[in-house]
Amino acid sequence: MIRTVLTDAQWDRMAPHCLGKDSDPGRSGGDNRLFLEAVLWKARTNSPWRDLPDEFGHWNTIFKRFNDWSRKGVFERIFEAVSDDPDMEYAMVDATIVPVHRHGHGAKGGPQNQAIGQSKGGWTTKILALTDALGNLVRFHLLPGQRYDTIGVAALIDGIDFDTILADKAFDANWIIEEMNERGARIVISQRPKRKHPITIDKQVYKWRHLIENFFCKLKEFKAIAMRSDKTDRNFSAMIYACAAVINSR
């Protein structure tokens, strides 16, 4: 018996955004719920696709379907469908490092064409994330592991309104402080010791930043995220969207 991840309530919210429904034009797909469970089994175990239990169907058919949905942005749409109405009173920004499994190498163009970089910890990928006040994922961006955390923040916060930003001292950059002042957003960013004119922050509010760290812990319960084995950023992002959709809809 395969242990399922999705509840009926979660599936009801995700189902309308899957491909191959009976209401879609053209050939209908196989059991979409079973397919999503197969993807989540892969995410939980990080086993090779060819090790998928037979109950899910032929592993190569499932992988090709996953790759097709990834290319068409289906997992991102599912994530957005279950992540509506985020609480943007507070926005939290942080990054986490994940090692890259040897199976995660080999994409065309080499690692330099993917968010894979060599740092002290070996080959790694950095997940830069923005969560809402409840610690639910809103956006994320992939970076090579050796890149600074502040790279990618501009795209992460572009077009998103929030009242307060929370972040650790890795994000204490002048341009971020200046942009927050222009927006009129309250700044709760831990200050670097060498800052000449440190900003006074609300230390009680800063403690709430543990919520984004909690999110990373939940995300890394899925072993395929804790250790990247997807060769391309597109497929790794699709896996993150699938896992985050489960987390956000709990």
Side-chain angles (χ1 to χ4, degrees):
M1 178 71 68
I2 298 172
R3 182 170 68 88
T4 59
V5 174
L6 298 176
T7 65
D8 290 343
Q10 288 174 315
W11 170 242
D12 287 343
R13 298 180 66 186
M14 297 178 184
H17 306 279
C18 295
L19 295 182
K21 303 182 296 299
D22 291 338
S23 58
D24 290 345
R27 187 169 67 92
S28 62
D31 187 331
N32 279 332
R33 184 170 185 173
L34 184 65
F35 165 68
L36 277 181
E37 291 286 4
V39 172
L40 293 172
W41 183 92
K42 160 69 173 171
R44 290 200 316 273
T45 65
N46 204 25
S47 299
W49 285 102
R50 64 179 63 250
D51 289 343
L52 275 170
D54 293 338
E55 293 90 329
F56 289 123
H58 194 276
W59 70 269
N60 196 40
T61 301
I62 295 170
F63 169 71
K64 287 180 179 179
R65 192 173 177 186
F66 169 77
N67 194 52
D68 181 56
W69 282 30
S70 169
R71 179 172 53 83
K72 294 176 179 176
V74 179
F75 294 102
E76 184 175 0
R77 292 199 295 273
I78 291 173
F79 165 77
E80 291 173 349
V82 302
S83 306
D84 52 352
D85 197 24
D87 183 349
M88 299 310 298
E89 180 180 2
Y90 300 97
M92 306 181 197
V93 179
D94 204 354
T96 189
I97 294 278
V98 296
V100 179
H101 192 278
R102 65 184 181 86
H103 292 160
H105 296 270
K108 291 182 179 180
Q112 62 271 21
N113 283 353
Q114 308 298 324
I116 298 175
Q118 196 165 21
S119 59
K120 291 181 180 179
W123 292 100
T124 56
T125 289
K126 180 174 291 185
I127 305 172
L128 177 67
L130 172 75
T131 68
D132 68 2
L134 301 177
N136 292 322
L137 182 66
V138 177
R139 279 182 182 172
F140 71 90
H141 187 65
L142 300 181
L143 296 169
Q146 81 280 8
R147 301 294 295 273
Y148 289 113
D149 289 358
T150 52
I151 298 173
V153 171
L156 203 65
I157 63 177
D158 181 49
I160 294 184
D161 294 326
F162 47 82
D163 299 329
T164 303
I165 186 168
L166 282 73
D168 63 22
K169 62 172 60 71
F171 299 91
D172 181 22
N174 288 333
W175 74 266
I176 294 178
I177 300 297
E178 291 170 2
E179 177 160 343
M180 293 304 103
N181 285 331
E182 290 177 3
R183 290 185 178 209
R186 182 162 62 140
I187 300 167
V188 186
I189 299 176
S190 181
Q191 305 290 283
R192 294 181 185 273
K194 294 183 179 180
R195 179 172 282 278
K196 292 183 179 179
H197 304 289
I199 299 170
T200 301
I201 67 170
D202 188 324
K203 294 183 179 179
Q204 289 301 118
V205 172
Y206 183 74
K207 291 179 181 179
W208 299 348
R209 203 183 60 80
H210 77 277
L211 291 170
I212 189 170
E213 295 173 348
N214 292 349
F215 165 73
F216 283 134
C217 289
K218 295 173 187 176
L219 189 63
K220 288 184 176 182
E221 288 177 0
F222 294 92
K223 294 183 176 67
I225 309 301
M227 175 171 283
R228 172 178 175 169
S229 58
D230 290 289
K231 290 182 172 64
T232 65
D233 291 350
R234 188 194 70 201
N235 281 1
F236 187 49
S237 293
M239 195 66 78
I240 294 174
Y241 279 125
C243 297
V246 174
I247 295 170
N248 280 15
S249 61
R250 282 173 179 167

